[in-house]
Amino acid sequence: MTDQDTQFLGVNYRQDPRSLPPGICAEAVNARFTNGVAEQRRGMVATNWTRGAGGAYHNVYQPKGAAVFCDPNGVESIVVASGDGKVYATTPNNTAREVLMPAGETVTGDVKFVQCFDTLVMLRGADHAPLALRSFNLGFEVIETEDNTVTGVDTENPTDGTEAIPNASEATFFTNRLLVVNGRDEIAASDYLNYTRYQPVFSSFRINQGNSGALVAIHPVDDNTLAVFKSDSVYLVSNVTGDLSAMKLDELTRNYGCAAAGSITKVGADIYFLSRRGVSSISVTAQGHIQGVDVPLSADIQPLIDRIDWTRASTARGIYAHNRLYLAVPLSTEAAQKQYDFGYLTHDSGHITHDTGDLIVTYATEVAGNNAVLVYDFLTQKWAGVDVATGLSVKEWLYVQLSGTRRLCFMGNDGFIYLYDDPELCGFSDIRKHVVDDTGFDDYFSDYEIAFMVKTRAYGGSDVSVKQFNRVGFGVATSNATLTVTASGNDSYNDDA
């Protein structure tokens, strides 16, 4: 009797390892399965793109937001709001430069950047007016209402009654309008081709006013339909065209909502997002119908979902790259959740440690943020498990043009921009700034090993009766690696690594 895996496709944390089919692993850390084998992920590589002109590496301090901005000349820059109250701009392999701000204006909290035409709007929350960046020569400016490009009686809002776009934390640019989340239930729509103003009476609409959920985010579904996410429900707004008079509101589901605006990720025609039940999705059928999917995409990794710290879940960030969904999340370190399937969690002096006996993974939590990345592979249609590493703390994902193609990067909470999991530019180790002590970094980069772990299914053949295997074989290819293999019997499988 034989039992074997001819290939590995992904993981399933939810089912008992004894019931898993061939090709499915019980758990994995820092793993990829795209090519039918279990491989270590590529590394994260710290860049010097946030280095200041004076040579200081820590030019960006506790970033509050980041985005890629395409200026009127088609040149892309990474714009970062820093915890020192300033905004910086940089490009790959260059130093960061400070962007001018209006007198007396600073960054005091998290911001959201939204590109409107060739202008970058910075939303600074309910207590601060948004600012606009048209060119780096001018810097950010206070947004003054402007007349519409088309004038006369047929233009939109030709007479008085418009106001400047409201203070907000979340917005999206859609059908040549800036749509702003304005309070718990209202969406404010700017004038057509004019992001500077809106008409409060005729150009704002409410989403299920009075229910307990608050508006979280707005995201396009197709050319004239919006998905509107509340904390406990999802709605569709269709016919978002022309003067908005034909708009129609429909409830998609009230069984779940969105936990993090930054987690919303569009992949083809479908949308994925973090909800309290896991990674949920909205799909568009072949007939063009839009529907919520009842079963969460994350059903197979529910034990990982259960470990998310929901008090910080609003920081979660998602992006689609390399045919994968990368979802950065804050994993909890509460005492009740320290037990982990392949080991134990300990939390001490700002670090989390996974200790499996043979594998120890330590990663930093000294800065608030997302300390793990859940990875779904659309080619295998399976989850690859979880990425953890020392220094992995994602503030924002960035898709940056570099060396002839777009590369996956992230703005780290430590103030550095990292390349991540790139098949060409990232090796098989993590490269980070060397930490001198608890106060900062020295002036060189260091390589750090990536702790790669795969726990297979239980092998029992097609017969569930007690049996004895005479031989176990497996194939492995390594490059200067330290490899540990642990075999567990039937009674101890769930206790060993």
Side-chain angles (χ1 to χ4, degrees):
M1 178 183 296
T2 62
D3 195 352
Q4 62 181 333
D5 291 306
T6 59
Q7 62 178 346
F8 290 112
L9 299 174
V11 299
N12 186 325
Y13 284 65
R14 177 175 53 88
Q15 292 181 238
D16 189 298
R18 300 171 183 84
S19 66
L20 294 178
I24 303 302
C25 295
E27 299 165 19
V29 176
N30 295 319
R32 300 292 182 266
F33 300 89
T34 303
N35 298 316
V37 296
E39 300 175 292
Q40 178 192 301
R41 69 163 170 85
R42 294 287 181 145
M44 61 180 192
V45 178
T47 71
N48 60 4
W49 305 345
T50 53
R51 185 170 187 164
Y57 268 107
H58 223 245
N59 203 28
V60 175
Y61 172 72
Q62 293 184 355
K64 304 301 181 183
V68 176
F69 169 53
C70 185
D71 70 15
N73 297 317
V75 178
E76 288 189 353
S77 299
I78 302 170
V79 179
V80 182
S82 175
D84 62 2
K86 301 176 181 179
V87 178
Y88 298 90
T90 188
T91 53
N93 302 315
N94 286 289
T95 58
R97 59 195 185 279
E98 185 179 345
V99 181
L100 295 175
M101 295 273 282
E105 299 288 351
T106 61
V107 173
T108 59
D110 282 355
V111 306
K112 170 70 179 285
F113 293 107
V114 181
Q115 179 142 1
C116 303
F117 308 109
D118 55 7
T119 299
L120 188 67
V121 174
M122 180 169 61
L123 303 172
R124 300 187 293 161
D127 297 328
H128 301 278
L131 303 175
L133 175 68
R134 294 179 174 86
S135 76
F136 288 112
N137 290 333
L138 297 173
F140 279 96
E141 300 173 292
V142 175
I143 297 177
E144 304 285 352
T145 58
E146 300 175 359
D147 293 336
N148 288 331
T149 304
V150 181
T151 59
V153 294
D154 293 328
T155 189
E156 187 172 29
N157 302 323
T159 59
D160 253 343
T162 60
E163 297 179 1
I165 57 171
N167 301 351
S169 299
E170 187 64 34
T172 192
F173 188 65
F174 182 66
T175 61
N176 293 313
R177 298 178 188 270
L178 182 63
L179 304 178
V180 180
V181 173
N182 189 22
R184 292 182 58 85
D185 302 292
E186 184 178 277
I187 296 175
S190 76
D191 283 1
Y192 185 71
L193 297 174
N194 187 348
Y195 68 87
T196 69
R197 69 181 200 175
Y198 82 113
Q199 227 288 1
V201 176
F202 300 109
S203 297
S204 60
F205 47 99
R206 295 190 178 275
I207 307 297
N208 198 23
Q209 181 180 8
N211 83 329
S212 59
L215 266 176
V216 175
I218 318 162
H219 202 280
V221 177
D222 57 32
D223 290 343
N224 63 4
T225 306
L226 287 170
V228 181
F229 297 89
K230 302 191 82 172
S231 57
D232 59 359
S233 52
V234 183
Y235 295 83
L236 293 177
V237 180
S238 55
N239 301 323
V240 187
T241 60
D243 62 1
L244 306 182
S245 60
M247 286 193 309
K248 178 185 176 183
L249 176 66
D250 293 296
E251 181 183 274
L252 187 64
T253 180
R254 63 175 63 186
N255 294 325
Y256 53 88
C258 181
S263 71
I264 301 171
T265 307
K266 191 166 187 181
V267 181
D270 300 334
I271 296 174
Y272 300 86
F273 58 97
L274 181 65
S275 69
R276 282 302 298 261
R277 67 175 194 161
V279 181
S280 300
S281 60
I282 297 171
S283 72
V284 180
T285 67
Q287 293 74 34
H289 300 303
I290 302 169
Q291 60 187 21
V293 179
D294 290 335
V295 179
L297 183 72
S298 57
D300 286 348
I301 58 165
Q302 191 59 44
L304 290 175
I305 298 298
D306 292 340
R307 288 192 50 243
I308 292 175
D309 182 351
W310 294 105
T311 65
R312 298 188 293 132
S314 61
T315 67
R317 296 292 185 266
I319 195 170
Y320 174 72
H322 311 318
N323 296 309
R324 302 182 185 113
L325 171 66
Y326 295 84
L327 182 62
V329 295
L331 291 188
S332 172
T333 58
E334 293 294 327
Q337 294 177 311
K338 284 184 179 180
Q339 175 74 41
Y340 192 54
D341 286 345
F342 68 86
Y344 293 87
L345 284 175
T346 58
H347 188 214
D348 180 56
S349 300
H351 292 77
I352 299 173
T353 299
H354 287 300
D355 188 348
T356 70
D358 296 311
L359 172 72
I360 298 179
V361 183
T362 303
Y363 55 99
T365 58
E366 63 269 14
V367 287
N370 301 304
N371 52 26
V373 179
L374 309 179
V375 182
Y376 182 81
D377 193 323
F378 285 93
L379 295 182
T380 64
Q381 299 288 294
K382 299 293 181 183
W383 287 93
V386 59
D387 293 354
V388 293
T390 302
L392 177 60
S393 183
V394 178
K395 179 64 178 180
E396 299 284 356
W397 291 112
L398 302 167
Y399 216 28
V400 179
Q401 186 73 27
L402 176 64
S403 299
T405 190
R406 292 204 173 274
R407 312 281 180 176
L408 177 61
C409 302
F410 70 85
M411 181 78 241
N413 281 293
D414 59 2
F416 294 97
I417 297 172
Y418 292 83
L419 283 161
Y420 193 74
D421 200 25
D422 189 276
E424 297 177 358
L425 302 183
C426 295
F428 289 100
S429 62
D430 289 334
I431 300 177
R432 299 181 291 105
K433 285 298 294 178
H434 185 263
V435 180
V436 179
D437 51 35
D438 293 337
T439 63
F441 307 89
D442 64 14
D443 201 33
Y444 66 93
F445 294 90
S446 295
D447 282 18
Y448 293 82
E449 285 188 9
I450 297 174
F452 165 54
M453 187 280 291
V454 172
K455 183 177 180 180
T456 70
R457 65 187 176 92
Y459 298 99
S462 58
D463 187 350
V464 297
S465 63
V466 177
K467 62 189 71 66
Q468 180 177 344
F469 286 98
N470 297 317
R471 184 177 62 182
V472 175
F474 63 94
V476 61
T478 67
S479 176
N480 194 31
T482 299
L483 177 67
T484 300
V485 179
T486 303
S488 302
N490 190 58
D491 294 334
S492 61
Y493 184 88
N494 288 324
D495 297 325
D496 296 338

